[in-house]
Amino acid sequence: MIPAGPHPGPKSWLVAVLWLALALAGMFSVFALNGRPLFYFDTAGYVAQGETALNQLGWRVDAPPAPSTPGQDGAAAPAADVAVKGTVDGSRSAVYALFAGLFARLGLLEGLIALNAAAVILSVWLMVRVVLRNTDPARSARFMAIPILAACLGSLPFFVAYLMPDLLAPVMILNLALLGVYGRRMRWPEVALALALASLAIVSHLSHLAIAILMLPVVVIAGAVLGHRRWWLLPVLVAAVLVVGFSEQLALRSAASAVAKSDVIIKPFITARLIQDGPGRDYLDRHCPDTGIPTCALAEALGRSDDPMRFTASHIVFQTNPELGSFRLLPPDQQVGVAQDQMHFFLEVLKEAPVQTTLAFAQNMMAQTLKFAVDMTIPTESQQQANADVRGSIFGPLILGRLAPADGWIGPLTQAQAALYAVSLVVLALLMVLPGRLTPQMRALALIVLAGILANALVCGGISQPATRYGARVIWLLPLMATLMAMLAGRADRGAP
């Protein structure tokens, strides 16, 4: 047990509160500037799904709102996203939907914003506490607040104000990195808090589970290189979070079968991505028609139009226009077949064209790393229409706020933020290569966070499609980690037992 330091006085606590207030002011700055929450097409879907779940759990009110015009990143909003009878859409997180539905029922939909801010504050505070092992609240608050304020110069405050689960992806990355480096040195309450934050994050979106899977080998390597006694405990802690993620998926399927008598279906994002990139389309050309391959039904639907845009992943999954649509135009049983076949389809394509498929994923990952503008967090008229039926916001209907993309501020802001991220990356690189600036544990911490950013790019760019929203949701980790590491540079590792 590490001995406690001197007992902090009232002045120390006052300073800590002031630092916390500054951090919160930065995080809520975009919310204050806009005057209303930011939202996306899927916000209505989460609220509707959450209200439906609450009805099934016995808390019944009027019929929940239905999303009218959901969209997909980089694509125009297609027609209504109606689930196939006898199926439940597993593309959205049931846990996050429950939060959205609960807050909406309570008339506090903005509680999702408070959840975002609390998750970030707790994650950074915990990281600082563990690394510094400092009992002075003023000092630890300063080390927490200044990196957060640096991140607020980037995309962080836009995602705090966003009624979507995106901000929980970087929260998961931070906590998995902390557990993966300092887990053996953390006290049990700290481990419990990190596990709780990472678990909340991993069940908030299906992409977070894939990111965590990709981060696990990095943690294994880092633990082995650092050479701690019981180094295996570090990947075990990360694996525990993965167990939570898989358990949530199993629970969703069990509940759907028992309560709704339905199967959980995940939209064929991987199939559509492989078709747009080329290897999937080549596979279908070689093997279809074949009644033994469910995805051949999609190949037939794609052949009904000569419009080259029909091969765009978002159009394949969402469009109902006869010129651009395919998947949504199939009979219900064929939609289910294509959706359930996507992992088998991916493995077959990878087996036949390993080089082309790998290169396609790598190209998408590189394209995703260069997309980090905050434009997709700013609502549009069509998104406002899609959320017209959403109830429960303190501010009333979800409508556009004071921030409008047409005002011309996004371009200059994106350039300024690009410079911030570039400088942050250079600072991190210098701190990690210069001898004596960071301890091996601090270097490993920063490297695992960077690996998480790249994993996010691979998952989102490779499975869905490269989009600014996906990159912007995690890129603020660069200035946060660069600032924190700069403040820690030259300090001894206080976390050693």
Side-chain angles (χ1 to χ4, degrees), residues 415-447:
Q415 293 176 350
Q417 290 181 338
L420 171 69
Y421 302 142
V423 170
S424 300
L425 191 57
V426 170
V427 169
L428 269 178
L430 289 175
L431 288 172
M432 284 191 286
V433 300
L434 291 175
R437 302 309 298 165
L438 298 177
T439 66
Q441 289 74 24
M442 294 173 189
R443 287 189 174 92
L445 190 68
L447 283 172

Side-chain angles (χ1 to χ4, degrees), residues 78-453:
D81 185 16
V82 180
V84 175
K85 185 177 181 180
T87 68
V88 173
D89 185 3
S91 305
R92 299 190 188 99
S93 161
V95 173
Y96 190 83
L98 273 174
F99 274 107
L102 178 61
F103 282 128
R105 286 275 177 94
L106 295 174
L108 299 169
L109 188 57
E110 288 78 4
L112 294 173
I113 298 175
L115 178 66
N116 288 339
V120 172
I121 288 284
L122 287 172
S123 298
V124 180
W125 170 80
L126 182 61
M127 181 174 289
V128 168
R129 171 187 170 91
V130 170
V131 175
L132 285 182
R133 280 288 172 225
N134 180 22
T135 57
D136 179 358
R139 188 178 178 205
S140 58
R142 172 167 58 91
F143 275 76
M144 173 197 70
I146 293 177
I148 287 177
L149 289 171
C152 287
L153 298 175
S155 60
L156 174 58
F158 289 88
F159 284 88
V160 169
Y162 204 33
L163 300 180
M164 289 288 288
D166 293 85
L167 190 64
L168 294 175
V171 164
M172 182 189 70
I173 291 171
L174 286 175
N175 284 282
L176 290 184
L178 182 63
L179 289 168
V181 175
Y182 288 93
R184 190 178 63 90
R185 304 176 175 190
M186 295 167 66
R187 297 163 181 163
W188 283 113
E190 295 167 344
V191 171
L193 178 57
L195 287 173
L197 289 167
S199 298
L200 170 64
I202 202 171
V203 300
S204 67
H205 197 274
L206 193 57
S207 68
H208 302 176
L209 177 58
I211 292 169
I213 292 172
L214 292 175
M215 290 182 67
L216 180 60
V218 182
V219 172
V220 172
I221 295 171
V225 170
L226 290 174
H228 292 312
R229 290 179 295 106
R230 295 183 300 150
W231 66 268
W232 48 266
L233 179 62
L234 307 179
V236 165
L237 290 173
V238 175
V241 179
L242 284 172
V243 169
V244 173
F246 283 113
S247 298
E248 185 266 343
Q249 289 294 308
L250 291 174
L252 173 61
R253 282 158 175 75
S254 297
S257 175
V259 177
K261 310 300 181 185
S262 301
D263 294 324
V264 174
I265 300 297
I266 297 173
K267 293 184 178 70
F269 295 113
I270 299 176
T271 298
R273 187 71 248 170
L274 289 169
I275 291 172
Q276 177 173 339
D277 290 337
R281 184 178 171 185
D282 293 340
Y283 178 91
L284 294 176
D285 289 341
R286 287 193 298 269
H287 293 276
C288 296
D290 186 336
T291 56
I293 303 176
T295 309
C296 281
L298 185 59
E300 181 183 352
L302 286 167
R304 297 171 188 167
S305 168
D306 294 327
D307 193 326
M309 291 299 294
R310 71 191 186 281
F311 294 111
T312 304
S314 56
H315 290 330
I316 292 173
V317 176
F318 291 100
Q319 271 289 354
T320 58
N321 182 313
E323 293 298 315
L324 298 174
S326 50
F327 174 71
R328 295 274 299 283
L329 300 177
L330 293 174
D333 61 326
Q334 291 185 347
Q335 289 188 41
V336 173
V338 171
Q340 292 179 331
D341 187 49
Q342 63 179 317
M343 284 307 301
H344 177 261
F345 180 74
F346 164 71
L347 293 174
E348 289 298 309
V349 172
L350 181 63
K351 182 171 67 176
E352 288 198 7
V355 175
Q356 296 92 326
T357 304
T358 302
L359 285 177
F361 273 88
Q363 290 170 356
N364 290 329
M365 183 182 74
M366 292 304 298
Q368 182 60 75
T369 58
L370 299 177
K371 290 180 175 291
F372 46 75
V374 297
D375 57 334
M376 295 184 72
T377 66
I378 309 302
T380 62
E381 292 286 350
S382 58
Q383 290 168 1
Q384 178 177 284
Q385 294 170 11
N387 288 272
D389 295 327
V390 173
R391 301 165 295 179
S393 170
I394 298 172
F395 290 84
L398 294 183
I399 60 176
L400 307 183
R402 289 188 287 263
L403 296 177
D407 292 343
W409 56 272
I410 286 184
L413 178 65
T414 302
Q415 293 176 350
Q417 290 181 338
L420 171 69
Y421 302 142
V423 170
S424 300
L425 191 57
V426 170
V427 169
L428 269 178
L430 289 175
L431 288 172
M432 284 191 286
V433 300
L434 291 175
R437 302 309 298 165
L438 298 177
T439 66
Q441 289 74 24
M442 294 173 189
R443 287 189 174 92
L445 190 68
L447 283 172
I448 294 176
V449 170
L450 290 174
I453 295 174

